[in-house]
Amino acid sequence: MSKLTPLGSLPYPQPTDVADVPLHLQSLAEAIDGRTVLRFTDIANLQARVTNPVAGMVAWLGTPGRLFHYAGNHWAPVAPGPVHKVNNNEGSTTSTTFVETLTSATGDPMAVSFTAPPSGSVIVTVGAYTYNSAADGLAYMSAAVRLGTTVKLAAHEDRSSIVRSAARVSASTQFQVSGLTGGALHTVTPAYRAGGGAGNTASFDNRFVRIDPVT
């Protein structure tokens, strides 16, 4: 009867085993198979073929071209990195409540997708060249975080870059989001509003959003 190596639990034959070289090689190959770097086209192909993953498995996905590991309950990037998006198109709003689409802008809503890390926590940064049509007018830029269509964290003044100026000002803000579903695809969408007086127009140019995983 084959014995197992002490660390990797790989089978090897004993002198008393049946002299069946192909069978012994097959047993060894099958034991090693799940310990190598697996290769798949994308996450759907991986999940279809590896139906019973074991924590510690590593796989290369052609899309998005990164190494993933099985964290015990989901596949996650081996080294999760930041996600960044820029929109150089200027837009404006007179809304006094947060909106995700600016007037005269293209590319809105400016939603950015990311996979939540195992910690379920990320740092969100948003910013833009910002100004208001009135010298004492306000311009707010925040962001909403969603899992599918469910809002996990709404845009809010407490999580906003705030500018009071009729001149263009480069402003940004950063906040941490926790309690996300590790391994699930989420989105961050910038949101904007005007303030400081009726009819004021808040404008935003060279907008960006960045999501950094907290490991």
Side-chain angles (χ1 to χ4, degrees):
M1 183 177 183
S2 296
K3 287 190 175 182
L4 302 177
T5 58
L7 299 180
S9 296
L10 301 177
Y12 62 93
Q14 297 300 294
T16 55
D17 288 341
V18 175
D20 190 338
V21 174
L23 177 62
H24 295 314
L25 289 177
Q26 178 183 348
S27 297
L28 179 60
E30 290 176 350
I32 293 174
D33 193 31
R35 293 170 168 81
T36 60
V37 178
L38 309 174
R39 293 169 176 81
F40 301 96
T41 55
D42 53 32
I43 190 66
N45 183 231
L46 165 61
Q47 292 173 334
R49 293 182 59 187
V50 184
T51 55
N52 294 299
V54 177
M57 279 186 170
V58 177
W60 170 264
L61 301 187
T63 301
R66 297 182 65 182
L67 280 173
F68 281 68
H69 70 101
Y70 191 68
N73 58 3
H74 69 278
W75 290 93
V78 169
V83 178
H84 187 265
K85 186 173 185 178
V86 174
N87 187 333
N88 293 322
N89 187 256
E90 182 176 349
S92 61
T93 183
T94 58
S95 175
T96 56
T97 58
F98 280 106
V99 294
E100 296 178 351
T101 299
L102 295 173
T103 302
S104 302
T106 59
D108 286 354
M110 191 179 151
V112 182
S113 299
F114 69 96
T115 300
S119 67
S121 183
V122 297
I123 301 294
V124 176
T125 308
V126 294
Y129 286 145
T130 310
Y131 62 99
N132 194 287
S133 59
D136 61 346
L138 294 165
Y140 299 83
M141 183 177 181
S142 184
V145 182
R146 293 182 175 86
L147 173 59
T149 58
T150 302
V151 177
K152 304 295 289 186
L153 189 69
H156 194 276
E157 288 82 357
D158 290 346
R159 294 181 291 275
S160 296
S161 64
I162 306 173
V163 169
R164 184 192 294 271
S165 175
R168 286 161 60 99
V169 176
S170 180
S172 65
T173 192
Q174 189 176 73
F175 56 89
Q176 184 168 348
V177 185
S178 300
L180 303 179
T181 303
L185 191 66
H186 297 69
T187 57
V188 169
T189 307
Y192 322 85
R193 84 171 187 86
N200 286 350
T201 300
S203 297
F204 307 84
D205 194 7
N206 291 343
R207 298 169 282 153
F208 76 89
V209 58
R210 175 178 170 129
I211 301 100
D212 288 89
V214 177
T215 57

